[in-house]
Amino acid sequence: MKNRNLHIAIIALFLVALSLPFLTAQAAGGQIEGKVTDPKGAAVVGAKVIATEAATNQTYNATTDGQGRYKIEGLPAGSYSVVVSASGFSDVRNDSVKVADAAVTTVDLKLEIAPVEAAVNVSAKDSVYQQVRQIAKADGDFGGPFATVKNLTLKRDAGVFTLTSGEIYFAPPVEGRITGAVFIGEGELDLTPPTQIEKHTLSIFINNEALSEPFTHLVLRFTDNTLDEIKASPSAKMGNGGSQAAKARELYRGNQQLLRKELRENVDLRTLTDIYAPPRPGFFDAFVDGRKHSKLIFVLDPLGIPEVSPEEVALLSYGETDGGTWTAFHLATEYGNGTASSSEDHRLFDIVHHEIDGTIKGTQIAATDRVTLRPLVAGRVLSFNLYRTLRVSRVQDAEGHDLSFIQENKDEDAKLGVITPAPLDLQKDYTLTFTYAGGEALRDSGGGNFILIPRSEWYPNNGGTQFGDRAIFDITFRYPKGNMFVGTGAPVEPDKADGNTMITKWSSGKTELAVAGFNYGRFKKKELMDKDTGYNIEFYANTEVPNEIKQIQLAIEQIEAQGGRTTTTLGSVSTTGMADQAIADAENASRIYNAYFGKLPYTRIAMTQQPAGFFGQAWPTLVFMPYIAFIDTTQRAQLLGTRGGTDNFWKYVAPHEIAHQWWGHIVGWDSYHDQWMSEGFAEFSASLYVQFVRHDIKKFNDFWDNQRDMITQSRPATHDIKPYTIGPVTQGYRLSNAKTRAAYQFLVYPKGAYILHMIRMMLYSGKDGDRRFIEMMKDFVQTNFNHDVSTEDFKRVVEKHMSPDMDLDGNQRLDWFFNEWVYGTEMPSYKLEYDLADGGSTLTGRVTQSGVSDHFKMLIPIYVDFGKGFVRIGTANITGNSSVELKNIKLVQPAKRAALCVMNDVLALSIQNGK
């Protein structure tokens, strides 16, 4: 009995310390739970717990109960940071939480009492910003102008706020402008999204395609004409010194705490941006305390909403059970004049060059970044994304003059803003030099393993982009001798020693990069110059494994020393032994992708180990590989179990990440609506690797069977919802929310891949093979070389190269295909009933399509097997729920059998073949 318990203990240890890959087909979802206590050990009730997945930046929320306990379920396996905040306490975080499928990770956290009044961490103060920041602090605030309203309507695009009865209290003016108000009374928000896709998305949250939400109060933040509109309305009567001013002030203060401590969104900085700009349409934020849904935010911002940019209107919830973007869309005027597009550019400026000079000491990074930028919109405030723990000490202009900047406390709304003395000239380039330093951005995982947490925000990145702003990067770093620094781009010269310090220099040359980064650690290097591609393939693995593996090894030794049984012979674990295999994988994958997509502008590809076990990532020339992928298969199976250790994820994570050199970097994406091409095309590229390197048609079909299962099967990780029903791939990261959990991974990757696979299969011919498909893909890359693209850009290239058979509408357009598969959610089923007569020389039968709308159409490939494998003999063109008859088709020789979609040519819920 003792041995049995010890055996269970070690298995549980494995599950807590390690997590299954998020691409596992039957992932059940993991769980984080724990207890939050105060310094004396007493339970903290009502504390906000936010878990953020490192790989996707997706957040999951919970609140502690009466015993201080919390639980967050249905989490995709991977690495998380957990932050706990509660009134009166300082925030506490744990950035190294591992979650495994079907396992519980316990994270108990103790809060410390916050100082009576924490100092505002604005390194260089701006008086106007301070005025905005201090609204509602004075007892007399909101005691001035107010309006009594009856049936007042405020229409903000598709959002209609009806203030049935009540009072609006206005914030004190800043620079003569009122930028906030609080409504107390009875009202209702009505909203009907303008597109069918957005109506469907809204219905996932509220089971209705339109919202009607009664409320008792609103907190409004705005720089538009809200005040003037209310004053001019016959439904409002202005007054002074209303009786509920104190309540309005407290509601506004509560909203400030929400924004600063929980949501960490600096609306004060956004307000300052408009105050310091020439007159332009302003933004409007409404925080809705609804009777049915009490945590809603309506946002209208002509400059775009960062989370869903370039869209300008959104309705969001920060609730635990309904959190997510409920709907997001463009302005009605843009739909009306036909300019609504994911290609809209709402950046305030364009960064053209980064010159970074940094130093690494332990886990501390200290750096300067000389940023050259070109303003695109007139104004004085420039917003940047810089990781919260990297603290700016100085910002200077090209002449060395100090500039005012804003960066709040690292545990609050710490977005970085720079204020120039005068509006920027749109005809000039400007140079800003940032000096910053801090810890926590670089984490020591033990054994010489380090991981850079903020992959795209370790330097001041453009705050107006979702991913990065393409620029030239020149990087110099100093780091301790004994480690290695591997950067993006190419080394300018060999690293030089200066005592116990190494100096390394990297540059992207003349090639702009969307992002730049580095890997760092005590690496062992191996390399191979591939003469066929011209790429130098480099391999970097740490000489020691991270502490989490050492802890498992130690636990095994302790249990076995006590007479326990762990059923493992784990022994010594090393990642350096996989060098030859990793280099071969990279060499093979890059050769295939060169042939299919064209040559990269880079001279090298570095395969580097990162101490994150279950996700990979690719930056230009630099691939971050999960270290567990570099562990021997036998040892990996002992750590994760046979199923987890031999999962296809480990086989294909390298080809997938290498493909991102083409998909995501050389060809980027305009908005989150277009990111499906980056992940989907990379996943498709892995199928080419399977086909040409594995040389096994069964493995190729197994690959696509696995993709189909992820798309069509419900599972706990998607809240038991079939992913394809949630929305189209163009909804991007929004597919994952509190209602659907990890749906993004289970739809965007596999369905995006399947879309390109179906196009390939339609273009394939027995005579020319993939020639037409290859020409299309190379044209797509060359036409958009080192640029971001939209889904419609891709559609135009496919239409340019489409075969005559694909022209189902007779207009040389593929609206039918993109509407069904890219912008749609339908999923057909197919059935072949056939007979082979005349000794197998005559085929008759029927092909049936079902489970779709009347207008759904598709080309269904028909194959026959003459005894040496299947050969495609034609296609059936079917529209709606109908059948196509196969009448006495004469074959060139006797066939043994017939089948549909032998190469998984079409994504379908089911395909049946039978006589």
Side-chain angles (χ1 to χ4, degrees):
M1 191 69 174
K2 178 181 179 182
N3 286 347
R4 180 169 180 264
N5 288 338
L6 288 172
H7 174 68
I8 292 173
I10 191 65
I11 294 298
L13 176 62
F14 290 159
L15 291 174
V16 171
L18 300 170
S19 59
L20 292 176
F22 64 79
L23 289 180
T24 300
Q26 300 297 326
Q31 178 176 311
I32 298 175
E33 65 177 33
K35 185 174 183 179
V36 179
T37 56
D38 65 15
K40 295 183 179 180
V44 177
V45 180
K48 183 78 170 181
V49 184
I50 302 176
T52 304
E53 186 182 12
T56 63
N57 210 34
Q58 177 73 28
T59 59
Y60 304 85
N61 301 333
T63 301
T64 55
D65 61 17
Q67 287 74 48
R69 298 191 177 278
Y70 71 93
K71 182 187 295 183
I72 306 176
E73 300 176 293
L75 298 173
S79 299
Y80 288 79
S81 66
V82 176
V83 178
V84 178
S85 58
S87 179
F89 297 92
S90 297
D91 288 2
V92 172
R93 64 188 303 119
N94 184 334
D95 288 322
S96 56
V97 177
K98 308 292 184 182
V99 173
D101 285 311
V104 177
T105 300
T106 300
V107 181
D108 294 329
L109 294 155
K110 179 177 287 188
L111 302 182
E112 297 295 332
I113 302 297
V116 175
E117 184 174 348
V120 175
N121 195 1
V122 182
S123 301
K125 296 182 179 180
D126 177 87
S127 60
V128 177
Y129 175 77
Q130 290 297 330
Q131 291 179 57
V132 177
R133 193 76 174 175
Q134 298 302 317
I135 289 175
K137 188 172 184 179
D139 289 341
D141 287 354
F142 291 90
F146 81 103
T148 303
V149 298
K150 187 174 181 62
N151 296 323
L152 172 68
T153 299
L154 296 176
K155 189 176 189 305
R156 295 295 180 269
D157 203 83
V160 180
F161 295 84
T162 303
L163 308 185
T164 308
S165 63
E167 297 171 335
I168 304 174
Y169 291 81
F170 296 99
V174 176
E175 295 291 286
R177 298 178 64 171
I178 288 179
T179 60
V182 175
F183 168 76
I184 302 172
E186 295 291 332
E188 182 171 284
L189 167 61
D190 294 293
L191 187 151
T192 301
T195 69
Q196 190 55 48
I197 290 174
E198 289 301 329
K199 290 177 181 177
H200 173 76
T201 301
L202 179 61
S203 70
I204 290 173
F205 293 92
I206 62 173
N207 296 316
N208 199 310
E209 293 186 348
L211 172 76
S212 293
E213 183 67 43
F215 55 78
T216 56
H217 70 258
L218 297 174
V219 176
L220 304 177
R221 303 292 298 270
F222 53 84
T223 56
D224 65 359
N225 64 347
T226 294
L227 174 63
D228 293 337
E229 183 178 347
I230 293 172
K231 283 183 174 181
S233 173
S235 300
K237 181 180 179 181
M238 297 298 297
N240 203 58
S243 61
Q244 299 189 81
K247 181 177 180 180
R249 186 167 57 250
E250 288 306 309
L251 289 171
Y252 196 90
R253 287 176 179 172
N255 181 256
Q256 290 174 321
Q257 289 299 302
L258 169 72
L259 286 166
R260 297 172 186 179
K261 301 284 288 183
E262 293 188 37
L263 304 182
R264 298 181 178 177
E265 185 70 28
N266 196 329
V267 176
D268 302 322
L269 178 60
R270 175 64 187 89
T271 302
L272 189 72
T273 301
D274 281 353
I275 290 176
Y276 277 157
R280 64 188 180 200
F283 75 90
F284 176 90
D285 291 355
F287 298 83
V288 184
D289 183 17
R291 292 187 182 277
K292 293 179 288 186
H293 306 95
S294 61
K295 297 182 178 181
L296 296 179
I297 308 173
F298 174 88
V299 182
L300 188 155
D301 193 339
L303 296 182
I305 301 166
E307 294 78 9
V308 293
S309 184
E311 288 160 337
E312 301 90 357
V313 187
L315 179 70
L316 312 96
S317 170
Y318 56 97
E320 295 171 23
T321 60
D322 60 9
T325 302
W326 286 18
T327 185
F329 43 87
H330 293 279
L331 296 168
T333 53
E334 294 179 356
Y335 289 114
N337 59 30
T339 60
S341 167
S342 64
S343 299
E344 293 176 36
D345 188 354
H346 284 311
R347 292 176 301 163
L348 298 181
F349 56 92
D350 175 28
I351 296 178
V352 297
H353 189 208
H354 289 271
E355 187 178 347
I356 302 171
D357 193 316
T359 300
I360 296 174
K361 291 184 178 180
T363 58
Q364 295 287 312
I365 295 176
T368 62
D369 186 4
R370 191 168 183 265
V371 176
T372 302
L373 58 86
R374 185 172 300 132
L376 303 175
V377 178
R380 291 179 53 199
V381 180
L382 304 172
S383 293
F384 295 86
N385 292 331
L386 182 67
Y387 193 58
R388 58 183 177 78
T389 66
L390 297 174
R391 311 304 296 170
V392 175
S393 58
R394 194 176 195 184
V395 181
Q396 298 169 287
D397 64 15
E399 288 74 38
H401 301 137
D402 286 329
L403 299 178
S404 293
F405 66 92
I406 293 163
Q407 188 184 35
E408 296 293 341
N409 186 287
K410 69 182 181 68
D411 293 322
E412 296 188 6
D413 48 343
K415 192 176 187 70
L416 175 62
V418 176
I419 305 165
T420 61
L424 300 181
D425 185 344
L426 302 187
Q427 305 303 314
K428 292 176 55 178
D429 286 358
Y430 292 83
T431 298
L432 306 179
T433 300
F434 297 82
T435 302
Y436 60 97
E440 299 183 42
L442 187 66
R443 188 173 70 207
D444 186 351
S445 298
N449 293 269
F450 293 85
I451 186 168
L452 181 64
I453 304 299
R455 295 291 169 84
S456 61
E457 296 181 359
W458 63 273
Y459 55 89
N461 208 333
N462 195 335
T465 64
Q466 291 183 355
F467 182 47
D469 195 352
R470 291 183 186 272
I472 300 296
F473 285 84
D474 290 299
I475 299 172
T476 300
F477 255 90
R478 293 160 185 81
Y479 62 93
K481 186 180 289 187
N483 292 335
M484 284 189 185
F485 182 103
V486 189
T488 48
V492 175
E493 59 187 18
D495 290 5
K496 295 179 180 180
D498 181 9
N500 291 323
T501 299
M502 299 298 295
I503 302 173
T504 187
K505 294 184 178 183
W506 296 76
S507 177
S508 65
K510 296 181 180 180
T511 302
E512 292 185 331
L513 307 180
V515 288
F518 63 87
N519 205 346
Y520 171 73
R522 199 176 305 140
F523 292 129
K524 180 179 179 180
K525 178 183 178 181
K526 190 169 185 177
E527 59 188 325
L528 172 72
M529 169 55 73
D530 184 358
K531 295 180 181 179
D532 285 356
T533 61
Y535 308 141
N536 194 57
I537 309 296
E538 304 166 11
F539 170 84
Y540 298 84
N542 286 73
T543 54
E544 295 183 40
V545 293
N547 283 346
E548 61 185 16
I549 292 294
K550 293 180 181 179
Q551 291 168 1
I552 292 174
Q553 291 174 308
L554 178 61
I556 291 172
E557 293 172 2
Q558 292 174 341
I559 289 172
E560 292 182 345
Q562 297 173 21
R565 183 172 60 87
T566 64
T567 67
T568 179
T569 57
L570 195 59
S572 176
V573 179
S574 173
T575 57
T576 58
M578 294 293 289
D580 291 339
Q581 182 62 55
I583 289 174
D585 286 346
E587 187 178 27
N588 286 327
S590 59
R591 286 180 177 183
I592 294 167
Y593 305 158
N594 254 24
Y596 270 75
F597 313 136
K599 189 167 171 47
L600 296 169
Y602 315 134
T603 59
R604 55 186 288 277
I605 299 175
M607 307 294 291
T608 69
Q609 171 186 321
Q610 65 170 349
F614 303 98
F615 78 94
Q617 195 171 44
W619 262 206
T621 74
L622 178 61
V623 176
F624 299 92
M625 287 287 290
Y627 75 90
I628 292 180
F630 287 166
I631 292 177
D632 173 78
T633 303
T634 301
Q635 292 178 319
R636 190 167 60 235
Q638 291 183 19
L639 285 168
L640 305 178
T642 301
R643 180 178 170 189
T646 60
D647 189 271
N648 282 340
F649 173 80
W650 308 113
K651 300 175 185 176
Y652 306 135
V653 61
H656 174 101
E657 297 302 339
I658 291 167
H660 275 306
Q661 301 302 310
W662 285 263
W663 314 121
H665 293 300
I666 291 306
V667 178
W669 65 89
D670 277 339
S671 79
Y672 75 96
H673 286 302
D674 311 301
Q675 191 182 1
W676 70 271
M677 292 183 286
S678 173
E679 296 298 351
F681 288 13
E683 193 73 355
F684 164 85
S685 301
S687 79
L688 296 178
Y689 173 89
V690 176
Q691 180 178 354
F692 294 115
V693 176
R694 302 300 184 190
H695 295 295
D696 188 331
I697 192 64
K698 183 180 184 304
K699 289 181 179 178
F700 179 79
N701 276 320
D702 286 347
F703 178 94
W704 288 112
D705 287 341
N706 184 53
Q707 304 296 314
R708 183 186 64 246
D709 287 346
M710 284 195 286
I711 299 164
T712 62
Q713 300 303 307
S714 61
R715 51 182 53 78
T718 58
H719 224 147
D720 294 322
I721 304 173
K722 294 178 179 179
Y724 76 89
T725 66
I726 294 170
V729 291
T730 52
Q731 291 299 81
Y733 82 92
R734 288 178 53 201
L735 293 162
S736 287
N737 52 61
K739 295 290 187 181
T740 61
R741 294 178 179 168
Y744 170 81
Q745 288 95 330
F746 287 93
L747 187 67
V748 166
Y749 287 69
K751 190 177 180 185
Y754 234 118
I755 288 167
L756 190 56
H757 176 63
M758 288 190 287
I759 292 172
R760 179 195 181 195
M761 292 295 100
M762 288 190 290
L763 289 172
Y764 186 88
S765 76
K767 178 182 178 181
D768 296 325
D770 277 331
R771 178 187 61 80
R772 190 189 292 263
F773 177 75
I774 291 171
E775 290 175 351
M776 180 194 78
M777 296 305 290
K778 287 186 174 180
D779 186 8
F780 181 51
V781 171
Q782 287 303 315
T783 300
N784 303 285
F785 199 79
N786 217 30
H787 287 89
D788 297 335
V789 300
S790 70
T791 300
E792 288 299 303
D793 291 329
F794 176 60
K795 178 173 178 281
R796 281 188 287 271
V797 172
V798 181
E799 289 173 338
K800 177 181 174 181
H801 292 271
M802 63 190 285
S803 67
D805 289 345
M806 296 167 67
D807 194 9
L808 300 188
D809 291 332
N811 58 4
Q812 197 60 29
R813 293 178 61 85
L814 285 173
D815 296 337
W816 67 270
F817 181 85
F818 277 76
N819 289 340
E820 292 169 3
W821 296 107
V822 179
Y823 301 118
T825 60
E826 294 192 68
M827 188 63 60
S829 292
Y830 296 101
K831 184 176 183 180
L832 170 64
E833 302 167 279
Y834 72 94
D835 182 63
L836 290 169
D838 301 330
S841 298
T842 302
L843 172 66
T844 60
R846 177 186 300 112
V847 181
T848 301
Q849 176 175 268
S850 60
V852 295
S853 60
D854 291 342
H855 64 269
F856 188 98
K857 57 187 68 173
M858 194 59 199
L859 291 173
I860 316 303
I862 303 169
Y863 292 80
V864 296
D865 179 7
F866 294 117
K868 295 183 179 180
F870 280 102
V871 176
R872 190 166 74 178
I873 62 169
T875 57
N877 178 354
I878 308 180
T879 300
N881 297 294
S882 62
S883 300
V884 169
E885 299 294 330
L886 308 177
K887 297 181 179 179
N888 298 320
I889 298 174
K890 300 299 181 181
L891 305 177
V892 295
Q893 57 181 297
K896 296 182 177 296
R897 51 183 175 161
L900 303 177
C901 305
V902 168
M903 299 291 288
N904 274 283
D905 310 65
V906 179
L907 174 59
L909 199 59
S910 68
I911 299 176
Q912 301 177 47
N913 297 298
K915 292 185 176 181

